[in-house]
Amino acid sequence: MRLEFVPVEEFYFAITLCVRVLTEIENPELVAQMQEKLATTLGQSSTVASAQQNSFNYVFRVYEVDCTPAEELIVSISDWGEALRLNSDFGWMLDENRKPKRTEKFGQRDEFLQQLKAKLQEEFQVILNEPTPT
């Protein structure tokens, strides 16, 4: 898996209506840590915050992952309140009416999420485990 950051100047051309939440990790420390790592490594996020609960959204094109029948794969990393959100259009694509529809890869979203977490942990030196219920 290879990630290519989409800067704010190109964001409009990369966004898709199919991006859906893969997971939401409720952990304010992780949100702060990930935001710092992304900002230090990549600079300004791909989009300007759209709501008070959302202060960053880094978007990436994903390569070296089979996303057929879709032509391109997008991932975004953002915050929502005290949670870190990992989003992707893996398993989705637009139909002829530009409406999102599931593809045959939809059932593999959890496997893709595990690959993505491993890649992000390696690349940004953060631990993306879900909190253990107490």
Side-chain angles (χ1 to χ4, degrees), residues 30-40 55-56 58 79:
L30 175 60
V31 170
Q33 182 183 21
M34 194 66 180
Q35 183 177 18
E36 180 182 334
K37 296 273 185 174
L38 290 164
T40 300
S55 59
F56 67 91
Y58 286 83
D79 65 326

Side-chain angles (χ1 to χ4, degrees), residues 65-118:
V65 172
D66 179 12
C67 62
T68 53
E71 295 176 19
E72 185 175 60
L73 182 57
I74 298 290
V75 161
S76 75
I77 305 167
S78 61
D79 65 326
W80 191 257
E82 296 184 341
L84 183 71
R85 279 189 178 172
L86 303 180
N87 310 286
S88 180
D89 57 353
F90 184 87
W92 290 91
M93 66 182 292
L94 297 178
D95 67 12
E96 59 280 349
N97 297 317
R98 306 221 13 101
K99 302 280 186 210
K101 69 173 187 172
R102 292 179 181 183
T103 71
E104 60 272 7
K105 299 281 186 199
F106 184 82
Q108 299 170 19
R109 279 178 66 85
D110 193 54
E111 291 170 42
F112 174 73
L113 171 60
Q114 298 315 312
Q115 291 176 346
L116 177 61
K117 282 181 166 183

Side-chain angles (χ1 to χ4, degrees), residues 3-8 10 38 42-46 57-61:
L3 302 176
E4 175 187 85
F5 175 60
V6 177
V8 69
E10 295 177 33
L38 290 164
L42 303 169
Q44 180 182 357
S45 67
S46 301
N57 184 13
Y58 286 83
V59 177
F60 300 85
R61 287 186 181 93

